[in-house]
Amino acid sequence: MSNLRTISPTTARRLAITKQHLDAVRHEATTEGIYQAVRDLGCLQLDPLQTVARSHTLVVFSRVGPYNVVDLDKLIYHDRKLFEYWAHAASHVLTQDYPIHHLRMRTYAKTDDPWHIRIAEWINANKKLRDMILREIKRNGPISSRVLTEMGEAPKAWVSSGWTNDRNVSRMIDFLWMQGKIMVARREGLNKFWDLSERVLPEWTPREKLSEREIVTRAAQTSLKALGVGTEKQIGAHYISGRYPNLRERLNELERAGEIERLEIRDSHASAWKGTWYVHRSDIRLLEKLERGEFEGRTVLLSPFDNLVRDRARNIQFWDFDYKIEIYTPQAKRKYGYYVLPILSNDQLIGRIDPKMDRAQGVLNINAVHLEHNAPRDLKTARAVRDAIEELAEFLNATEIQYTKKIPDAWSRVLR
């Protein structure tokens, strides 16, 4: 194993950042620039919270800077280069990747998994409701979720211990969506308008029916290229998380074909990082460039659901940054805040801010700024963070930024 390529943790971090388009080289804030960034990420996670802005819009902002959200909506609802489906969570995914997602569509509620069996039995017991929803969408679509939820009763109610209990129409809509029969044609705020999938997807959508093996082979490469470097576990937890059967076999095949290669990550004075690490061959030249020190970072704020930081264990390993979303943590037990944005500075995660946008007043409130133990305390870094906050305010069309007293003393001369 002595002939393995060896890279430093610094190079591993910088490769991950560069592949996530979070280095100093930004795409243009245009429809094409936005699409290029999203294409390399593979997906944009959706979340309904608008404490600052919708998460998927923040993820794009972190890559291209202030942009017109209309351009992102154009990609989704006009050009149809993206559509809503389930990646590692509910997300905007690439239409060009439709064959990868189609496997889940065609097998959903058709396997021997106990969850799928339960769904299939419930759908079958409520076939009349299912047919009514599909008939209404076919006749009048795109039709809003609000209109559909006023339709009909389910002979067999959906039972759960959570918020979905007895939400029969919305559950049926969700299941039809997961099966690929209907899709979101447009949105008005958080209200979805549903239509038949064949009327949402453009004619150029690739329709080949791929085998499970081919899908895992393709998705694993998408995942690895988005990560920069990764282990089998990290690859399997990214992009279409948890849907990589026989991943190790596929990785071995890719390695034998020369599409990926193993490497080790090691500090000069420390042992190698545990696990088998991979890099895609298309990233070797970039990796070598970074090894020569050719990297320029920037300071940028990240969504809580940003693709870079969604793996908590990886965050600790790469950046010694323990990031946990505290949205569902009781207020008294929160350590950092409700909707906290990590601060990426060059190749380190150095802190987090707790912001809230007051749209009525046009004010971006910064409730707190927290520094990591290794964060630089100099004024140059403080000014870079201030500039990143001001850029966020520009994106949000805020006319004022208000800071509270929860500002680190070292940065208080700048952040006020």
Side-chain angles (χ1 to χ4, degrees), residues 116-337:
H116 278 201
I117 291 172
R118 182 190 172 198
I119 294 170
E121 290 175 346
W122 185 81
I123 292 175
N124 188 58
N126 293 286
K127 189 174 183 298
K128 186 177 292 186
L129 176 62
R130 172 189 177 276
D131 292 346
M132 186 189 313
I133 291 173
L134 287 174
R135 186 168 57 249
E136 187 69 17
I137 290 174
K138 184 176 182 179
R139 288 175 178 172
N140 302 305
I143 189 168
S144 75
S145 297
R146 291 172 184 167
V147 171
L148 288 171
T149 51
E150 296 172 359
M151 294 176 52
E153 295 294 329
K156 182 179 180 180
W158 178 262
V159 178
S160 79
S161 59
W163 68 272
T164 62
N165 186 60
D166 207 30
R167 296 173 65 94
N168 303 309
V169 174
S170 63
R171 292 309 283 156
M172 186 65 79
I173 292 171
D174 285 343
F175 297 149
L176 290 170
W177 171 61
M178 292 298 291
Q179 291 180 330
K181 298 186 183 302
I182 61 175
M183 288 184 176
V184 178
R186 72 173 192 272
R187 281 178 177 258
E188 292 181 5
L190 296 179
N191 192 23
K192 303 172 187 176
F193 284 75
W194 297 93
D195 206 344
L196 299 179
S197 295
E198 58 262 32
R199 299 200 298 225
V200 174
L201 293 169
E203 290 185 6
W204 55 263
T205 303
R207 307 278 183 170
E208 66 266 37
K209 187 179 289 187
L210 302 178
S211 68
E212 178 181 88
R213 180 176 189 159
E214 179 61 26
I215 287 169
V216 174
T217 299
R218 290 192 187 188
Q221 293 180 83
T222 297
S223 179
L224 178 57
K225 285 189 281 188
L227 290 168
V229 293
T231 62
E232 176 190 341
K233 183 177 181 181
Q234 291 174 358
I235 293 167
H238 203 70
Y239 184 40
I240 55 169
S241 177
R243 308 208 304 274
Y244 294 91
N246 303 310
L247 176 57
R248 183 169 299 178
E249 293 179 27
R250 303 292 82 81
L251 292 175
N252 289 339
E253 290 170 354
L254 286 166
E255 185 179 13
R256 288 194 295 269
E259 293 298 322
I260 67 175
E261 70 172 59
R262 300 188 190 201
L263 49 70
E264 68 174 15
I265 303 171
R266 161 193 305 271
D267 263 324
S268 56
H269 303 295
S271 58
W273 285 10
K274 292 181 179 180
T276 301
W277 292 85
Y278 298 95
V279 63
H280 199 273
R281 74 169 179 178
S282 62
D283 290 326
I284 295 299
R285 289 182 64 183
L286 172 59
L287 185 151
E288 293 172 343
K289 178 181 175 182
L290 295 171
E291 276 283 85
R292 296 193 297 268
E294 297 180 37
F295 171 82
E296 184 179 355
R298 59 188 167 98
T299 300
V300 61
L301 305 174
L302 306 177
S303 160
F305 303 98
D306 195 280
N307 300 50
L308 182 75
V309 295
R310 61 171 306 273
D311 186 331
R312 187 178 182 187
R314 183 175 159 101
N315 292 335
I316 294 171
Q317 184 175 31
F318 273 58
W319 291 283
D320 191 24
F321 187 77
D322 190 2
Y323 186 59
K324 178 183 178 182
I325 296 173
E326 297 182 306
I327 290 168
Y328 304 108
T329 302
Q331 184 172 356
K333 296 183 178 181
R334 289 179 194 140
K335 185 176 180 180
Y336 297 107

Side-chain angles (χ1 to χ4, degrees), residues 34-46:
I34 292 167
Y35 180 70
Q36 290 173 3
V38 178
R39 178 196 59 202
D40 292 343
L41 296 179
C43 62
L44 296 175
Q45 182 173 340
L46 290 163

